[in-house]
Amino acid sequence: MRILVTGGAGFIGRPTVERLVAYGHDVTVLDLVRPAPRPGEVTAVPGASLVVGDVRDEDTLLPAVRGSDVVVHLAAKVGLGVDVDDIVDYVSANDLGTATVLRVAHRVGVGRVVFASSMVVYGEGAYHCPEHGRVAPGPRRLADLEVGVFDPRCPRCDAVLVPAVVTEDAPLDPRNVYAATKVHGEHLLGAWARETSGGAFALRFHNVYGPGMPRNTPYAGVASLFRSALAAGRAPRVFEDGAQRRDFVHVDDVAQAVVAAATADAGPGLVVPLNVGSGTVTTVGGLAQALADTLDGPAPVVTGEFRIGDVRHVTASSDRAAQVLGWTAQIGLRAGLATC
């Protein structure tokens, strides 16, 4: 197949393209390639064509998409951002970028798309109240956070809730700008699929880590931030009490999930959302300690600090990806961290 991968020179894109090429597909990468490569530095994956450009630029995007069987749309501005001043950049890169990809795909007759979504679309994960059963918590209260009560409360009885795993039918409840752009991206994908009879997968990646993850940037994920601190000889700083539940999935497993989706058929007019995680619950503090052990670095420091836009717990079942794509994660956390 001919496959266009936007963001194909990035953290998740590069191992995805490597696998697609290895399986014999004709792959074109469209990427801004930032930071700009040094003279003589190779940025393309061997065997793939590289187009340096922005997905929002239709003059660049159109010839790159033309003739493709599938578009894999990984390009995005990621992370929680620094402050509200980032809002325009996120909306432009993610919402306008996705809209442009979908319009161009329609114009040239490409009817299959794989979209990089995120577990952040759920906001807080699934929760159980001992008295009221499954409930959806509202935003955490600043007064609770300031006194170290980090778990959300039941909206009916005010009891502290017990976390559970999220399935793809859970309501979407974005809690920050990045999350809002990913929800909007899925909605745009749905509109495109209905109006064009195209088929798409929306892959809701969990916390991705592994070799090549971005470092020394406030937009990086928590694994990257901890890794950067340890590389500099500093103790990782863990927010809240470190008991936040997450699912850390290795980038090679994520790349294999993208390949599986790119070579599968979602069905006409359908968008199939799929959680892509390891299936193992890990606390943020546990990740920091595991990284410190792996790198023989200083022990993590639990700070009690918090960010109002963070969610407390979000872990999900990836059983549907196994059923639909035949994909399951293969790399355990300790083995995966050794590759970082």
Side-chain angles (χ1 to χ4, degrees):
M1 290 195 303
R2 293 193 65 185
I3 301 173
L4 173 71
V5 183
T6 73
F11 171 42
I12 295 173
R14 181 172 289 272
T16 297
V17 172
E18 289 172 349
R19 283 160 178 74
L20 289 170
V21 169
Y23 295 148
H25 298 292
D26 182 355
V27 182
T28 297
V29 170
L30 175 63
D31 200 296
L32 277 173
V33 191
R34 289 182 174 171
R38 294 183 293 273
E41 184 179 29
V42 175
T43 58
V45 174
S49 301
L50 174 64
V51 177
V52 177
D54 193 315
V55 293
R56 294 166 288 187
D57 179 3
E58 288 197 29
D59 290 340
T60 302
L61 185 61
L62 243 167
V65 175
R66 186 174 285 117
S68 298
D69 300 297
V70 184
V71 173
V72 175
H73 181 37
L74 304 179
K77 184 177 178 68
V78 300
L80 293 182
V82 176
D83 54 40
V84 76
D85 283 343
D86 286 333
I87 191 169
V88 173
D89 289 340
Y90 274 99
V91 170
S92 177
N94 297 355
D95 294 343
L96 180 58
T98 297
T100 307
V101 167
L102 294 174
R103 180 162 74 172
V104 168
H106 173 56
R107 285 183 172 179
V108 302
V110 177
R112 296 172 62 187
V113 173
V114 178
F115 174 64
S117 188
S118 170
M119 55 84 181
V120 297
V121 299
Y122 297 117
E124 287 288 351
Y127 288 88
H128 177 84
C129 172
E131 182 175 352
H132 296 107
R134 183 75 171 264
V135 297
R140 293 188 292 173
R141 304 170 187 169
L142 181 60
D144 279 345
L145 297 173
E146 288 176 337
V147 297
V149 178
F150 299 116
D151 288 308
R153 296 180 181 274
C154 176
R156 298 176 62 184
C157 68
D158 215 38
V160 173
L161 296 172
V162 179
V165 295
V166 180
T167 52
E168 288 87 352
D169 58 353
L172 305 187
D173 183 21
R175 300 291 178 96
N176 56 62
V177 171
Y178 170 65
T181 66
K182 286 301 178 182
V183 170
H184 191 213
E186 290 198 21
H187 289 168
L188 291 172
L189 202 65
W192 169 85
R194 286 188 294 272
E195 293 180 21
T196 67
S197 296
F201 291 99
L203 302 183
R204 295 172 179 170
F205 300 149
H206 281 252
N207 294 75
V208 186
Y209 73 96
M213 60 187 176
R215 297 178 184 173
N216 302 314
T217 166
Y219 298 94
V222 66
S224 299
L225 296 175
F226 292 164
R227 177 66 176 81
S228 294
L230 288 162
R234 302 190 305 271
R237 294 176 59 81
V238 179
F239 279 21
E240 301 185 15
D241 59 359
Q244 308 96 303
R245 290 161 51 107
R246 297 290 188 270
D247 184 325
F248 296 96
V249 58
H250 195 274
V251 67
D252 287 348
D253 280 329
V254 172
Q256 197 61 45
V258 177
V259 170
T263 54
D265 185 5
L270 296 178
V271 176
V272 180
L274 296 173
N275 292 324
V276 176
S278 71
T280 300
V281 174
T282 303
T283 65
V284 172
L287 172 74
Q289 186 61 63
L291 265 171
D293 293 344
T294 299
L295 300 173
D296 195 24
V301 175
V302 178
T303 68
E305 298 173 70
F306 60 87
R307 294 181 296 189
I308 197 69
D310 284 354
V311 298
R312 177 60 172 172
H313 304 297
V314 55
T315 58
S317 167
S318 296
D319 290 349
R320 192 179 185 193
Q323 296 164 3
V324 173
L325 300 179
W327 172 89
T328 56
Q330 302 295 314
I331 301 172
L333 183 65
R334 293 280 177 171
L337 291 177
T339 69
C340 294

